Amino acid sequence: MDPDVLVERLRAVCLALPEVTEKISHGSPSWFVRKMFVSWVGRHHDDTHLSLWAAAPEGVQAEMVAAEPGRFFVPPYVGHRGWLGMRLDAEPGGPDWDEVREVVTDAYRHIAPRRLVALLG
């Protein structure tokens, strides 16, 4: 998997949401809607996988990690706040972009102000 292609696809998913901005945070592209809701981690933080970290509503992290520990994980630093780690290189053909979009949109809904969430329908 080409990390540049993955981050470009992730960027497109994140920036398609209302009022999202991109900034570098802790050396990685990250996406904000007032507060950070997704960060591209790549292979940082001693992880050998290409991954993203996303804000998640209470209980989602535990549910996803238990259901699919090969693809989802508790990320360091933010895992204690319920954030979800998602490996983008877990599948040989690349990630399921519909699923990535769902994780990103859920993170957005969790962090964004209600007026912006309402725009999603």
Side-chain angles (χ1 to χ4, degrees), residues 11 21-32 35-42 44-45 53 77-78 81 83:
R11 177 176 285 122
T21 59
E22 180 178 335
K23 300 176 195 168
I24 299 296
S25 179
H26 299 89
S28 297
S30 299
W31 293 274
F32 295 75
K35 298 190 304 185
M36 186 187 320
F37 70 100
V38 170
S39 185
W40 161 255
V41 181
H44 296 286
H45 307 288
W53 296 353
Y77 312 110
V78 293
R81 294 193 333 235
W83 280 54

Side-chain angles (χ1 to χ4, degrees), residues 1-79:
M1 304 266 18
D2 182 343
D4 293 334
V5 171
L6 289 174
V7 77
E8 284 303 319
R9 298 257 338 241
L10 179 59
R11 177 176 285 122
V13 169
C14 292
L15 293 176
L17 296 165
E19 295 188 25
V20 170
T21 59
E22 180 178 335
K23 300 176 195 168
I24 299 296
S25 179
H26 299 89
S28 297
S30 299
W31 293 274
F32 295 75
V33 58
R34 309 296 187 271
K35 298 190 304 185
M36 186 187 320
F37 70 100
V38 170
S39 185
W40 161 255
V41 181
R43 289 191 172 106
H44 296 286
H45 307 288
D46 299 323
D47 192 353
T48 59
H49 294 281
L50 296 168
S51 59
L52 66 84
W53 296 353
E58 188 173 333
V60 169
Q61 177 200 82
E63 178 183 325
M64 299 300 284
V65 172
E68 296 187 68
R71 293 186 330 129
F72 297 100
F73 62 97
V74 177
Y77 312 110
V78 293

Side-chain angles (χ1 to χ4, degrees), residues 73-94:
F73 62 97
V74 177
Y77 312 110
V78 293
H80 70 280
R81 294 193 333 235
W83 280 54
L84 177 66
M86 180 181 191
R87 292 185 179 97
L88 300 179
D89 58 359
E91 301 297 323

